[in-house]
């Protein structure tokens, strides 16, 4: 290791003190302090030497260090303007590190990441959903996403039809990837401690897992279907502006009973429905 390990309470406190920093709640800053968790995330990412990794929110470089030590070529996007100065010290000497100061939701990822890459991140929880949907909906050459999220979000990402938490997020994630919860992480692994348990989810992205003629339209149908969970799919879709007759006909063609609710539909059924509605 080029530097002492960042993933510890002592090192993290020392770095924050040295740079006169306080973890920002607004930016979702909960820094990892558990080296075992870093090791397990890096292991779950199955990094091979020289592989490109996009890290979202490197913070003070804790997970980044683990990724670099495993041989990854890391591009990290960090919003906090105070952190580049910290990272240039904590990760000094690592050659395969590139930092972009900016908002992950605004940077042009297709310009930034031109080769196939993996995403590894301890995500800021206030924008987890937007980040994941952005990554999955843009046609980026991503092969794997390994993310730390709130346990509740992890459960939604991997939920199956007919469970209460199955929703647009579950469909969006599973439409593009095989997703599973790898392990849970207790609040004590972070400084400051979050109020909730976290989970690391591994999504193996498969470009051709399912095929639809118009992906944007498919996503619109899924979102509209879950718009009002208590309503039937027919009422949700008509409520969202689709013509009742057209919805009825499409449901019939897709062999979906019009009294069903969105949460009972499999991804295959959503695809059939969207293709008929299109
Ligand atoms: N990776 C570090 C770790 O594991 O200790 C920090 C993780 S912390 C949960 C989330 C990080 O995301 C913070 O460093 C925060 O400043 C950064 N962040 C918050 N919003 C962001 C955004 N829109 N774009 C990029 N980074 C963001």
């Amino acid at each position: 290791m080029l530097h002492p390990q960042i993933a510890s309470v002592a090192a993290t406190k020392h770095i924050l003190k040295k740079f006169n920093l306080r973890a920002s709640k607004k930016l979702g800053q909960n820094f990892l302090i558990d080296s075992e968790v870093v090791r397990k995330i890096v292991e779950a990412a199955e990094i091979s030497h020289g592989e490109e990794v996009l890290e979202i929110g490197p913070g003070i470089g804790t997970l980044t260090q683990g990724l670099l030590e495993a041989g990854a070529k890391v591009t990290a996007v960090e919003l906090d303007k105070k952190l580049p100065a910290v990272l240039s010290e904590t990760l000094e000497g690592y050659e395969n590190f590139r930092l972009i100061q900016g908002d992950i939701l605004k940077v042009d990822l297709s310009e930034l990441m031109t080769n196939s890459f993996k995403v590894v991140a301890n995500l800021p929880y206030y924008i987890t959903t937007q980040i994941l949907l952005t990554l999955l909906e843009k046609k980026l050459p991503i092969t794997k996403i390994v993310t730390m999220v709130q346990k509740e979000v992890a459960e939604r990402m991997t939920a199956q039809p007919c469970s209460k938490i199955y929703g647009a997020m579950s469909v969006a994630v599973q439409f593009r990837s095989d997703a599973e919860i790898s392990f849970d992480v207790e609040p004590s692994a972070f400084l400051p401690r979050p109020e909730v348990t976290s989970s690391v989810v591994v999504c193996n992205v498969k470009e051709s897992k399912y095929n639809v003629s118009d992906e944007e339209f498919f996503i619109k149908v899924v979102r509209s279907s879950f718009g009002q969970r208590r309503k039937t799919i027919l009422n949700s879709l008509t409520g969202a502006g689709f013509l009742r007759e057209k919805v009825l006909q499409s449901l019939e063609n897709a062999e979906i009973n019009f009294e069903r609710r969105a949460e009972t539909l499999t991804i295959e059924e959503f695809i059939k429905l969207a293709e008929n509605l299109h």
Side-chain angles (χ1 to χ4, degrees):
M1 231 183 228
L2 262 179
H3 294 281
Q5 197 166 46
I6 307 168
S8 74
V9 191
T12 304
K13 281 189 173 166
H14 172 76
I15 293 164
L16 293 178
K17 191 166 173 210
K18 182 170 177 192
F19 288 89
N20 200 16
L21 290 174
R22 270 207 203 141
S24 157
K25 219 175 178 178
K26 200 174 122 220
L27 291 177
Q29 291 179 346
N30 297 96
F31 301 116
L32 267 171
I33 50 170
D34 187 331
S35 59
E36 185 55 15
V37 174
V38 171
R39 189 193 64 73
K40 281 167 78 179
I41 295 175
V42 173
E43 187 180 84
E46 299 178 306
I47 306 288
S48 39
H49 199 82
E51 189 162 43
E52 295 208 21
V53 169
L54 170 72
E55 189 190 358
I56 298 159
I60 60 171
T62 317
L63 179 56
T64 330
Q65 186 180 41
L67 292 165
L68 290 166
E69 286 289 333
K73 252 176 109 175
V74 181
T75 298
V77 179
E78 173 57 62
L79 181 58
D80 190 342
K81 289 196 175 103
K82 292 188 201 130
L83 293 175
V86 180
L87 288 162
S88 65
E89 188 168 315
T90 56
L91 300 177
E92 191 188 1
Y94 285 103
E95 283 178 1
N96 286 328
F97 177 63
R98 161 169 81 141
L99 178 67
I100 311 293
Q101 195 276 312
D103 184 340
I104 190 65
L105 298 176
K106 295 194 183 137
V107 294
D108 185 349
L109 288 175
S110 57
E111 204 168 88
L112 202 59
M113 308 300 292
T114 44
N115 302 320
S116 75
F117 67 100
K118 291 178 176 169
V119 177
V120 184
N122 170 16
L123 287 177
Y125 291 170
Y126 74 104
I127 44 165
T128 305
T129 309
Q130 290 105 298
I131 294 176
L132 287 172
L133 294 179
T134 303
L135 293 174
L136 291 161
E137 287 170 11
K138 290 206 171 131
K139 294 240 169 215
L140 298 163
I142 300 175
T143 55
K144 199 191 257 292
I145 305 176
V146 180
T147 50
M148 174 99 71
V149 296
Q150 286 176 306
K151 187 179 164 93
E152 178 232 316
V153 175
E155 285 169 350
R156 279 199 277 133
M157 289 168 74
T158 54
Q160 295 302 307
C162 294
S163 72
K164 270 192 190 154
I165 51 172
Y166 179 70
M169 171 72 139
S170 326
V171 177
V173 169
Q174 294 168 45
F175 176 67
R176 273 279 155 260
S177 73
D178 291 336
E180 64 176 40
I181 297 179
S182 184
F183 58 96
D184 289 343
V185 181
E186 294 306 318
S188 58
F190 303 88
L191 186 81
R193 291 182 183 208
E195 275 158 24
V196 291
T197 300
S198 304
S199 302
V200 170
V201 183
V202 176
C203 304
N204 285 305
V205 184
K206 300 210 159 68
E207 194 44 54
S208 57
K209 194 175 174 200
Y210 294 108
N211 272 319
V212 288
S213 43
D214 183 343
E215 206 168 309
E216 235 173 78
F217 182 77
F218 168 74
I219 289 162
K220 185 178 164 198
V221 170
V222 173
R223 290 210 175 128
S224 308
S225 304
F226 282 106
Q228 289 159 300
R229 285 188 78 92
R230 283 161 173 258
K231 290 197 173 175
T232 61
I233 187 132
L234 172 63
N235 288 339
S236 293
L237 287 172
T238 47
F242 289 92
L243 289 175
R244 191 180 168 84
E245 279 313 307
K246 179 85 183 145
V247 176
L248 268 172
Q249 187 61 55
S250 304
L251 285 167
E252 194 181 324
N253 292 349
E255 297 172 352
I256 300 165
N257 187 307
F258 65 90
E259 287 184 326
R260 283 173 62 187
R261 291 180 184 175
E263 69 211 50
T264 69
L265 265 67
T266 62
I267 297 182
E268 289 83 355
E269 286 177 317
F270 273 118
I271 293 171
K272 271 202 233 166
L273 173 61
E275 293 296 295
N276 274 289
L277 264 176
H278 197 229

